[in-house]
Amino acid sequence: MDIFSADNDTICAIATPIGEGGIGILRISGPGALDILQKVFRPQRDSVALQSHRLHYGWIIDPVSGDRVDEVLASWMRGPQTYTREDVVEINSHSGFGVMDRLLRIVLTSGARLAEPGEFTRRAFLSGRIDLSQAEAVIELIRSRSEENLRHAGRQLQGGVRSLVESWRENLLSLQAQLEAFIDFSDDLDEAEPAETEAIVQDLSSSILVPIREMSRRYDEGRVLREGLTLVLAGKPNVGKSSLLNGLVGRERAIVTPHPGTTRDVIEDAFILSGVRVRVMDTAGLRPGGDSIEALGMEKTRQSISQADVVLWLLDLSRPLDDEDDSVFEFIAGRRTLLILNKADLPACFGAEDVKQRYQLGDAAPIWALSVLRPSDLLTLRSQLKTSLLDRPLLTSASGEVIPNLRQKQCLDQAAEHLEHALSLLHDQGLGELISYEMGQARKALESILGVEPDDALLDRIFGDFCIGK
Ligand SMILES: Nc1nc2c(ncn2[C@@H]2O[C@H](COP(=O)(O)OP(=O)(O)OP(=O)(O)O)[C@@H](O)[C@H]2O)c(=O)[nH]1
Ligand SMILES: [Mg+2]
């Protein structure tokens, strides 16, 4: 792709968060980058020529007024060994709204225009330095909020998705070429050697379709890595929900009192479980009746439960099961639920079996008896949560699997569908040209993961998600 065919102007943006800080970075990219730097930057040692990929110490000067604006370190990097493959300039200045704003205006009046969100990365893509899946990994990396998520984005940035998809694509191309060689001899495949068609079927299925389906399946589990999990604590009043929240996040986040109805609002916090971010919501105790404030709180509880990936339902072992517990059960019906029998340090009024019977739960339902006030029980609970919620081979860091995002998954599913058509046509000895067409469509779907021939709307959607300056 020719980088000078489209947006050939020079763009600039503040690349660091706006606000007071030690250092702020202004980034410029495009053919005019060096020229602009020379207009606005005075190196301390005038005689030294600006060298590529070196830091230079000096001052930013307002070319109009001649004012010294800030003491900076500036670098100029000659393309193509840069983020965008264009000439890139970075100015490290002090960071504060006034300084950065002045700097930006000086650079803008010296010949650059303000970059759109994600435009630097878009240029890296258009110049062919990275493919679309790697550009998406940049956003994921910036947004990642847990170690596991970060690790995955890093793998993707290094081309994890790209190399797999490219290998399927190559493979598909060569199978299509083999197939077309038959078609040259006959219209129908029934005249081709059965052994040869069989070999194509085998290859198409085992080395392309199966791994494509496998990667697509990982999407759901991968969502957990990207977005984390939402855990909602539910139960009747006074069972220990707020105590559990505090125990899980390791601080006194919610008020705990011996009075039922203490929590009236949804209280949210987060903790990290095996590298995955878990958002946890403590809710108002559920019970029929109650005053109007409690009723509002219960409505909010209902909303939280509807957003939950998993509900932790707490029961109080020290009091008999009652109709308040029954109404909680109705409230959370249909949600993925784990049960905690809390206050196991006190004499118990019932056991796990009674709960299973009363609510007709299967034997497989996880029920854990513990006291959320005991640190050792909390540790056990954490590891039980880990096993129930996260322990799939995929989520262990060593697996190195790549996980598609939603867009990539949709492309994979399309590719798989075309491959299945091709396979069933091959099986029925259908028209060779149709088979070849389906294989071509599958290849196109794979190529759209990489961003071969992307349309502008798609690029706008992907890069519009970035911040300005990236
Ligand atoms: N003995 C014992 N007491 C507990 C345990 N867990 C919580 N409690 C006590 O139970 C009372 C209620 O705890 P909370 O955490 O406020 O209960 P809650 O479910 O948030 O109550 P509401 O906000 O009113 O719905 C407090 O006095 C806690 O100290 C436990 O495992 N053992
Ligand atoms: Mg509470």
PDB file of all heavy atoms in Angstrom, residues 241-273:
ATOM      1  N   LYS A 241     -23.969 -10.004  53.235  1.00  0.00           N
ATOM      2  CA  LYS A 241     -23.538  -9.612  51.885  1.00  0.00           C
ATOM      3  C   LYS A 241     -22.469  -8.524  51.938  1.00  0.00           C
ATOM      4  O   LYS A 241     -21.434  -8.622  51.271  1.00  0.00           O
ATOM      5  CB  LYS A 241     -24.741  -9.106  51.065  1.00  0.00           C
ATOM      6  CG  LYS A 241     -25.834 -10.148  50.887  1.00  0.00           C
ATOM      7  CD  LYS A 241     -27.016  -9.587  50.124  1.00  0.00           C
ATOM      8  CE  LYS A 241     -27.771  -8.483  50.865  1.00  0.00           C
ATOM      9  NZ  LYS A 241     -28.403  -8.907  52.136  1.00  0.00           N
ATOM     10  N   SER A 242     -22.727  -7.500  52.758  1.00  0.00           N
ATOM     11  CA  SER A 242     -21.756  -6.397  52.819  1.00  0.00           C
ATOM     12  C   SER A 242     -20.453  -6.871  53.446  1.00  0.00           C
ATOM     13  O   SER A 242     -19.370  -6.447  53.039  1.00  0.00           O
ATOM     14  CB  SER A 242     -22.338  -5.225  53.607  1.00  0.00           C
ATOM     15  OG  SER A 242     -23.517  -4.774  52.980  1.00  0.00           O
ATOM     16  N   SER A 243     -20.557  -7.764  54.432  1.00  0.00           N
ATOM     17  CA  SER A 243     -19.336  -8.306  55.039  1.00  0.00           C
ATOM     18  C   SER A 243     -18.524  -9.048  53.984  1.00  0.00           C
ATOM     19  O   SER A 243     -17.292  -8.969  53.954  1.00  0.00           O
ATOM     20  CB  SER A 243     -19.666  -9.277  56.171  1.00  0.00           C
ATOM     21  OG  SER A 243     -20.587  -8.706  57.065  1.00  0.00           O
ATOM     22  N   LEU A 244     -19.217  -9.756  53.102  1.00  0.00           N
ATOM     23  CA  LEU A 244     -18.507 -10.502  52.059  1.00  0.00           C
ATOM     24  C   LEU A 244     -17.850  -9.548  51.053  1.00  0.00           C
ATOM     25  O   LEU A 244     -16.712  -9.751  50.649  1.00  0.00           O
ATOM     26  CB  LEU A 244     -19.468 -11.456  51.336  1.00  0.00           C
ATOM     27  CG  LEU A 244     -18.858 -12.242  50.177  1.00  0.00           C
ATOM     28  CD1 LEU A 244     -17.644 -13.047  50.631  1.00  0.00           C
ATOM     29  CD2 LEU A 244     -19.879 -13.188  49.547  1.00  0.00           C
ATOM     30  N   LEU A 245     -18.584  -8.498  50.693  1.00  0.00           N
ATOM     31  CA  LEU A 245     -17.988  -7.502  49.778  1.00  0.00           C
ATOM     32  C   LEU A 245     -16.676  -7.000  50.373  1.00  0.00           C
ATOM     33  O   LEU A 245     -15.635  -6.985  49.720  1.00  0.00           O
ATOM     34  CB  LEU A 245     -18.939  -6.323  49.553  1.00  0.00           C
ATOM     35  CG  LEU A 245     -18.311  -5.154  48.777  1.00  0.00           C
ATOM     36  CD1 LEU A 245     -18.257  -5.471  47.279  1.00  0.00           C
ATOM     37  CD2 LEU A 245     -19.045  -3.843  48.996  1.00  0.00           C
ATOM     38  N   ASN A 246     -16.749  -6.587  51.641  1.00  0.00           N
ATOM     39  CA  ASN A 246     -15.550  -6.053  52.295  1.00  0.00           C
ATOM     40  C   ASN A 246     -14.423  -7.080  52.314  1.00  0.00           C
ATOM     41  O   ASN A 246     -13.264  -6.744  52.078  1.00  0.00           O
ATOM     42  CB  ASN A 246     -15.879  -5.609  53.720  1.00  0.00           C
ATOM     43  CG  ASN A 246     -16.841  -4.422  53.740  1.00  0.00           C
ATOM     44  OD1 ASN A 246     -17.045  -3.774  52.717  1.00  0.00           O
ATOM     45  ND2 ASN A 246     -17.440  -4.148  54.893  1.00  0.00           N
ATOM     46  N   GLY A 247     -14.791  -8.328  52.567  1.00  0.00           N
ATOM     47  CA  GLY A 247     -13.780  -9.378  52.613  1.00  0.00           C
ATOM     48  C   GLY A 247     -13.139  -9.609  51.247  1.00  0.00           C
ATOM     49  O   GLY A 247     -11.927  -9.789  51.140  1.00  0.00           O
ATOM     50  N   LEU A 248     -13.947  -9.572  50.210  1.00  0.00           N
ATOM     51  CA  LEU A 248     -13.416  -9.835  48.866  1.00  0.00           C
ATOM     52  C   LEU A 248     -12.512  -8.712  48.378  1.00  0.00           C
ATOM     53  O   LEU A 248     -11.493  -8.957  47.743  1.00  0.00           O
ATOM     54  CB  LEU A 248     -14.557 -10.042  47.859  1.00  0.00           C
ATOM     55  CG  LEU A 248     -15.309 -11.371  47.955  1.00  0.00           C
ATOM     56  CD1 LEU A 248     -16.517 -11.381  47.015  1.00  0.00           C
ATOM     57  CD2 LEU A 248     -14.390 -12.539  47.624  1.00  0.00           C
ATOM     58  N   VAL A 249     -12.888  -7.470  48.663  1.00  0.00           N
ATOM     59  CA  VAL A 249     -12.079  -6.369  48.146  1.00  0.00           C
ATOM     60  C   VAL A 249     -10.996  -5.940  49.140  1.00  0.00           C
ATOM     61  O   VAL A 249     -10.140  -5.126  48.812  1.00  0.00           O
ATOM     62  CB  VAL A 249     -12.926  -5.143  47.711  1.00  0.00           C
ATOM     63  CG1 VAL A 249     -13.937  -5.559  46.661  1.00  0.00           C
ATOM     64  CG2 VAL A 249     -13.610  -4.490  48.901  1.00  0.00           C
ATOM     65  N   GLY A 250     -11.051  -6.511  50.358  1.00  0.00           N
ATOM     66  CA  GLY A 250      -9.983  -6.251  51.312  1.00  0.00           C
ATOM     67  C   GLY A 250     -10.020  -4.878  51.970  1.00  0.00           C
ATOM     68  O   GLY A 250      -8.990  -4.360  52.379  1.00  0.00           O
ATOM     69  N   ARG A 251     -11.178  -4.256  52.042  1.00  0.00           N
ATOM     70  CA  ARG A 251     -11.283  -3.002  52.787  1.00  0.00           C
ATOM     71  C   ARG A 251     -12.730  -2.774  53.211  1.00  0.00           C
ATOM     72  O   ARG A 251     -13.633  -3.448  52.707  1.00  0.00           O
ATOM     73  CB  ARG A 251     -10.785  -1.815  51.962  1.00  0.00           C
ATOM     74  CG  ARG A 251     -11.607  -1.544  50.725  1.00  0.00           C
ATOM     75  CD  ARG A 251     -10.841  -0.631  49.777  1.00  0.00           C
ATOM     76  NE  ARG A 251     -11.610  -0.390  48.567  1.00  0.00           N
ATOM     77  CZ  ARG A 251     -12.255   0.743  48.299  1.00  0.00           C
ATOM     78  NH1 ARG A 251     -12.235   1.742  49.163  1.00  0.00           N
ATOM     79  NH2 ARG A 251     -12.918   0.883  47.179  1.00  0.00           N
ATOM     80  N   GLU A 252     -12.924  -1.824  54.110  1.00  0.00           N
ATOM     81  CA  GLU A 252     -14.274  -1.567  54.612  1.00  0.00           C
ATOM     82  C   GLU A 252     -15.034  -0.728  53.594  1.00  0.00           C
ATOM     83  O   GLU A 252     -15.207   0.460  53.773  1.00  0.00           O
ATOM     84  CB  GLU A 252     -14.218  -0.859  55.971  1.00  0.00           C
ATOM     85  CG  GLU A 252     -13.565  -1.672  57.080  1.00  0.00           C
ATOM     86  CD  GLU A 252     -14.235  -3.029  57.285  1.00  0.00           C
ATOM     87  OE1 GLU A 252     -15.453  -3.068  57.512  1.00  0.00           O
ATOM     88  OE2 GLU A 252     -13.537  -4.056  57.196  1.00  0.00           O
ATOM     89  N   ARG A 253     -15.482  -1.344  52.553  1.00  0.00           N
ATOM     90  CA  ARG A 253     -16.136  -0.600  51.477  1.00  0.00           C
ATOM     91  C   ARG A 253     -17.584  -0.292  51.848  1.00  0.00           C
ATOM     92  O   ARG A 253     -18.089   0.782  51.566  1.00  0.00           O
ATOM     93  CB  ARG A 253     -16.085  -1.458  50.201  1.00  0.00           C
ATOM     94  CG  ARG A 253     -16.766  -0.881  49.008  1.00  0.00           C
ATOM     95  CD  ARG A 253     -15.989   0.310  48.462  1.00  0.00           C
ATOM     96  NE  ARG A 253     -16.628   0.848  47.266  1.00  0.00           N
ATOM     97  CZ  ARG A 253     -17.659   1.689  47.282  1.00  0.00           C
ATOM     98  NH1 ARG A 253     -18.145   2.091  48.426  1.00  0.00           N
ATOM     99  NH2 ARG A 253     -18.182   2.119  46.158  1.00  0.00           N
ATOM    100  N   ALA A 254     -18.269  -1.253  52.467  1.00  0.00           N
ATOM    101  CA  ALA A 254     -19.689  -1.070  52.763  1.00  0.00           C
ATOM    102  C   ALA A 254     -19.916  -1.091  54.283  1.00  0.00           C
ATOM    103  O   ALA A 254     -19.169  -1.726  55.019  1.00  0.00           O
ATOM    104  CB  ALA A 254     -20.503  -2.184  52.118  1.00  0.00           C
ATOM    105  N   ILE A 255     -20.948  -0.398  54.700  1.00  0.00           N
ATOM    106  CA  ILE A 255     -21.296  -0.381  56.131  1.00  0.00           C
ATOM    107  C   ILE A 255     -21.897  -1.727  56.532  1.00  0.00           C
ATOM    108  O   ILE A 255     -22.755  -2.267  55.816  1.00  0.00           O
ATOM    109  CB  ILE A 255     -22.337   0.721  56.422  1.00  0.00           C
ATOM    110  CG1 ILE A 255     -21.747   2.093  56.093  1.00  0.00           C
ATOM    111  CG2 ILE A 255     -22.802   0.660  57.872  1.00  0.00           C
ATOM    112  CD1 ILE A 255     -22.761   3.220  56.188  1.00  0.00           C
ATOM    113  N   VAL A 256     -21.408  -2.246  57.644  1.00  0.00           N
ATOM    114  CA  VAL A 256     -21.950  -3.497  58.189  1.00  0.00           C
ATOM    115  C   VAL A 256     -22.518  -3.202  59.575  1.00  0.00           C
ATOM    116  O   VAL A 256     -21.838  -2.609  60.395  1.00  0.00           O
ATOM    117  CB  VAL A 256     -20.838  -4.559  58.302  1.00  0.00           C
ATOM    118  CG1 VAL A 256     -21.320  -5.760  59.104  1.00  0.00           C
ATOM    119  CG2 VAL A 256     -20.364  -4.995  56.927  1.00  0.00           C
ATOM    120  N   THR A 257     -23.768  -3.571  59.807  1.00  0.00           N
ATOM    121  CA  THR A 257     -24.325  -3.438  61.158  1.00  0.00           C
ATOM    122  C   THR A 257     -25.160  -4.686  61.450  1.00  0.00           C
ATOM    123  O   THR A 257     -25.499  -5.438  60.534  1.00  0.00           O
ATOM    124  CB  THR A 257     -25.278  -2.217  61.292  1.00  0.00           C
ATOM    125  OG1 THR A 257     -26.509  -2.533  60.634  1.00  0.00           O
ATOM    126  CG2 THR A 257     -24.679  -0.955  60.710  1.00  0.00           C
ATOM    127  N   PRO A 258     -25.505  -4.887  62.727  1.00  0.00           N
ATOM    128  CA  PRO A 258     -26.359  -6.047  63.060  1.00  0.00           C
ATOM    129  C   PRO A 258     -27.808  -5.833  62.622  1.00  0.00           C
ATOM    130  O   PRO A 258     -28.630  -6.740  62.775  1.00  0.00           O
ATOM    131  CB  PRO A 258     -26.276  -6.124  64.592  1.00  0.00           C
ATOM    132  CG  PRO A 258     -25.274  -5.113  65.027  1.00  0.00           C
ATOM    133  CD  PRO A 258     -25.070  -4.160  63.915  1.00  0.00           C
ATOM    134  N   HIS A 259     -28.146  -4.647  62.097  1.00  0.00           N
ATOM    135  CA  HIS A 259     -29.544  -4.384  61.757  1.00  0.00           C
ATOM    136  C   HIS A 259     -29.875  -4.797  60.335  1.00  0.00           C
ATOM    137  O   HIS A 259     -29.193  -4.373  59.400  1.00  0.00           O
ATOM    138  CB  HIS A 259     -29.859  -2.892  61.907  1.00  0.00           C
ATOM    139  CG  HIS A 259     -29.436  -2.341  63.224  1.00  0.00           C
ATOM    140  ND1 HIS A 259     -30.039  -2.711  64.407  1.00  0.00           N
ATOM    141  CD2 HIS A 259     -28.439  -1.491  63.556  1.00  0.00           C
ATOM    142  CE1 HIS A 259     -29.448  -2.094  65.412  1.00  0.00           C
ATOM    143  NE2 HIS A 259     -28.455  -1.349  64.926  1.00  0.00           N
ATOM    144  N   PRO A 260     -30.931  -5.584  60.155  1.00  0.00           N
ATOM    145  CA  PRO A 260     -31.355  -5.931  58.797  1.00  0.00           C
ATOM    146  C   PRO A 260     -31.749  -4.657  58.043  1.00  0.00           C
ATOM    147  O   PRO A 260     -32.325  -3.743  58.650  1.00  0.00           O
ATOM    148  CB  PRO A 260     -32.579  -6.812  59.011  1.00  0.00           C
ATOM    149  CG  PRO A 260     -32.547  -7.225  60.444  1.00  0.00           C
ATOM    150  CD  PRO A 260     -31.781  -6.188  61.189  1.00  0.00           C
ATOM    151  N   GLY A 261     -31.447  -4.614  56.751  1.00  0.00           N
ATOM    152  CA  GLY A 261     -31.833  -3.438  55.944  1.00  0.00           C
ATOM    153  C   GLY A 261     -30.780  -2.345  55.988  1.00  0.00           C
ATOM    154  O   GLY A 261     -31.088  -1.184  55.734  1.00  0.00           O
ATOM    155  N   THR A 262     -29.541  -2.683  56.310  1.00  0.00           N
ATOM    156  CA  THR A 262     -28.481  -1.672  56.380  1.00  0.00           C
ATOM    157  C   THR A 262     -28.153  -1.120  54.998  1.00  0.00           C
ATOM    158  O   THR A 262     -28.083   0.083  54.797  1.00  0.00           O
ATOM    159  CB  THR A 262     -27.192  -2.278  56.989  1.00  0.00           C
ATOM    160  OG1 THR A 262     -27.512  -2.807  58.261  1.00  0.00           O
ATOM    161  CG2 THR A 262     -26.109  -1.232  57.099  1.00  0.00           C
ATOM    162  N   THR A 263     -27.957  -2.008  54.049  1.00  0.00           N
ATOM    163  CA  THR A 263     -27.581  -1.548  52.710  1.00  0.00           C
ATOM    164  C   THR A 263     -28.837  -1.212  51.930  1.00  0.00           C
ATOM    165  O   THR A 263     -29.765  -2.014  51.841  1.00  0.00           O
ATOM    166  CB  THR A 263     -26.793  -2.652  51.971  1.00  0.00           C
ATOM    167  OG1 THR A 263     -25.732  -3.082  52.804  1.00  0.00           O
ATOM    168  CG2 THR A 263     -26.246  -2.147  50.655  1.00  0.00           C
ATOM    169  N   ARG A 264     -28.852   0.005  51.383  1.00  0.00           N
ATOM    170  CA  ARG A 264     -30.062   0.434  50.685  1.00  0.00           C
ATOM    171  C   ARG A 264     -29.798   0.685  49.208  1.00  0.00           C
ATOM    172  O   ARG A 264     -30.713   0.962  48.456  1.00  0.00           O
ATOM    173  CB  ARG A 264     -30.530   1.751  51.314  1.00  0.00           C
ATOM    174  CG  ARG A 264     -30.769   1.610  52.813  1.00  0.00           C
ATOM    175  CD  ARG A 264     -32.188   1.813  53.046  1.00  0.00           C
ATOM    176  NE  ARG A 264     -32.662   1.316  54.301  1.00  0.00           N
ATOM    177  CZ  ARG A 264     -33.767   1.818  54.858  1.00  0.00           C
ATOM    178  NH1 ARG A 264     -34.393   2.822  54.286  1.00  0.00           N
ATOM    179  NH2 ARG A 264     -34.208   1.292  55.965  1.00  0.00           N
ATOM    180  N   ASP A 265     -28.520   0.706  48.847  1.00  0.00           N
ATOM    181  CA  ASP A 265     -28.177   1.051  47.482  1.00  0.00           C
ATOM    182  C   ASP A 265     -27.241  -0.026  46.971  1.00  0.00           C
ATOM    183  O   ASP A 265     -26.758  -0.848  47.746  1.00  0.00           O
ATOM    184  CB  ASP A 265     -27.458   2.401  47.493  1.00  0.00           C
ATOM    185  CG  ASP A 265     -27.708   3.171  46.212  1.00  0.00           C
ATOM    186  OD1 ASP A 265     -28.075   2.530  45.216  1.00  0.00           O
ATOM    187  OD2 ASP A 265     -27.529   4.395  46.221  1.00  0.00           O
ATOM    188  N   VAL A 266     -26.959   0.003  45.682  1.00  0.00           N
ATOM    189  CA  VAL A 266     -25.991  -0.959  45.161  1.00  0.00           C
ATOM    190  C   VAL A 266     -24.596  -0.384  45.364  1.00  0.00           C
ATOM    191  O   VAL A 266     -24.345   0.767  45.033  1.00  0.00           O
ATOM    192  CB  VAL A 266     -26.248  -1.214  43.658  1.00  0.00           C
ATOM    193  CG1 VAL A 266     -25.168  -2.113  43.094  1.00  0.00           C
ATOM    194  CG2 VAL A 266     -27.612  -1.841  43.469  1.00  0.00           C
ATOM    195  N   ILE A 267     -23.718  -1.165  45.977  1.00  0.00           N
ATOM    196  CA  ILE A 267     -22.350  -0.706  46.214  1.00  0.00           C
ATOM    197  C   ILE A 267     -21.410  -1.550  45.375  1.00  0.00           C
ATOM    198  O   ILE A 267     -21.448  -2.775  45.425  1.00  0.00           O
ATOM    199  CB  ILE A 267     -21.980  -0.833  47.699  1.00  0.00           C
ATOM    200  CG1 ILE A 267     -22.962   0.011  48.513  1.00  0.00           C
ATOM    201  CG2 ILE A 267     -20.549  -0.379  47.941  1.00  0.00           C
ATOM    202  CD1 ILE A 267     -22.759  -0.098  49.994  1.00  0.00           C
ATOM    203  N   GLU A 268     -20.599  -0.852  44.594  1.00  0.00           N
ATOM    204  CA  GLU A 268     -19.788  -1.575  43.622  1.00  0.00           C
ATOM    205  C   GLU A 268     -18.309  -1.410  43.893  1.00  0.00           C
ATOM    206  O   GLU A 268     -17.857  -0.350  44.312  1.00  0.00           O
ATOM    207  CB  GLU A 268     -20.119  -1.018  42.240  1.00  0.00           C
ATOM    208  CG  GLU A 268     -19.554  -1.854  41.148  1.00  0.00           C
ATOM    209  CD  GLU A 268     -19.854  -1.286  39.777  1.00  0.00           C
ATOM    210  OE1 GLU A 268     -20.954  -0.721  39.570  1.00  0.00           O
ATOM    211  OE2 GLU A 268     -18.968  -1.415  38.920  1.00  0.00           O
ATOM    212  N   ASP A 269     -17.555  -2.473  43.691  1.00  0.00           N
ATOM    213  CA  ASP A 269     -16.101  -2.405  43.785  1.00  0.00           C
ATOM    214  C   ASP A 269     -15.544  -3.520  42.893  1.00  0.00           C
ATOM    215  O   ASP A 269     -16.307  -4.172  42.192  1.00  0.00           O
ATOM    216  CB  ASP A 269     -15.645  -2.576  45.246  1.00  0.00           C
ATOM    217  CG  ASP A 269     -14.339  -1.814  45.505  1.00  0.00           C
ATOM    218  OD1 ASP A 269     -13.523  -1.729  44.588  1.00  0.00           O
ATOM    219  OD2 ASP A 269     -14.152  -1.332  46.632  1.00  0.00           O
ATOM    220  N   ALA A 270     -14.246  -3.685  42.928  1.00  0.00           N
ATOM    221  CA  ALA A 270     -13.666  -4.721  42.062  1.00  0.00           C
ATOM    222  C   ALA A 270     -12.463  -5.341  42.731  1.00  0.00           C
ATOM    223  O   ALA A 270     -11.827  -4.721  43.581  1.00  0.00           O
ATOM    224  CB  ALA A 270     -13.258  -4.113  40.733  1.00  0.00           C
ATOM    225  N   PHE A 271     -12.170  -6.578  42.371  1.00  0.00           N
ATOM    226  CA  PHE A 271     -10.932  -7.206  42.820  1.00  0.00           C
ATOM    227  C   PHE A 271     -10.406  -8.072  41.682  1.00  0.00           C
ATOM    228  O   PHE A 271     -11.092  -8.279  40.681  1.00  0.00           O
ATOM    229  CB  PHE A 271     -11.155  -8.012  44.108  1.00  0.00           C
ATOM    230  CG  PHE A 271     -12.063  -9.204  43.969  1.00  0.00           C
ATOM    231  CD1 PHE A 271     -11.546 -10.482  43.846  1.00  0.00           C
ATOM    232  CD2 PHE A 271     -13.446  -9.044  43.964  1.00  0.00           C
ATOM    233  CE1 PHE A 271     -12.395 -11.575  43.720  1.00  0.00           C
ATOM    234  CE2 PHE A 271     -14.290 -10.140  43.840  1.00  0.00           C
ATOM    235  CZ  PHE A 271     -13.764 -11.401  43.719  1.00  0.00           C
ATOM    236  N   ILE A 272      -9.172  -8.515  41.831  1.00  0.00           N
ATOM    237  CA  ILE A 272      -8.556  -9.285  40.751  1.00  0.00           C
ATOM    238  C   ILE A 272      -8.482 -10.741  41.185  1.00  0.00           C
ATOM    239  O   ILE A 272      -8.010 -11.054  42.270  1.00  0.00           O
ATOM    240  CB  ILE A 272      -7.134  -8.766  40.453  1.00  0.00           C
ATOM    241  CG1 ILE A 272      -7.162  -7.297  40.042  1.00  0.00           C
ATOM    242  CG2 ILE A 272      -6.465  -9.626  39.381  1.00  0.00           C
ATOM    243  CD1 ILE A 272      -7.689  -7.020  38.670  1.00  0.00           C
ATOM    244  N   LEU A 273      -8.992 -11.616  40.329  1.00  0.00           N
ATOM    245  CA  LEU A 273      -8.974 -13.049  40.616  1.00  0.00           C
ATOM    246  C   LEU A 273      -8.170 -13.711  39.509  1.00  0.00           C
ATOM    247  O   LEU A 273      -8.593 -13.681  38.350  1.00  0.00           O
ATOM    248  CB  LEU A 273     -10.409 -13.561  40.634  1.00  0.00           C
ATOM    249  CG  LEU A 273     -10.673 -14.970  41.146  1.00  0.00           C
ATOM    250  CD1 LEU A 273     -10.328 -15.087  42.613  1.00  0.00           C
ATOM    251  CD2 LEU A 273     -12.134 -15.343  40.921  1.00  0.00           C
TER     252      LEU A 273
END
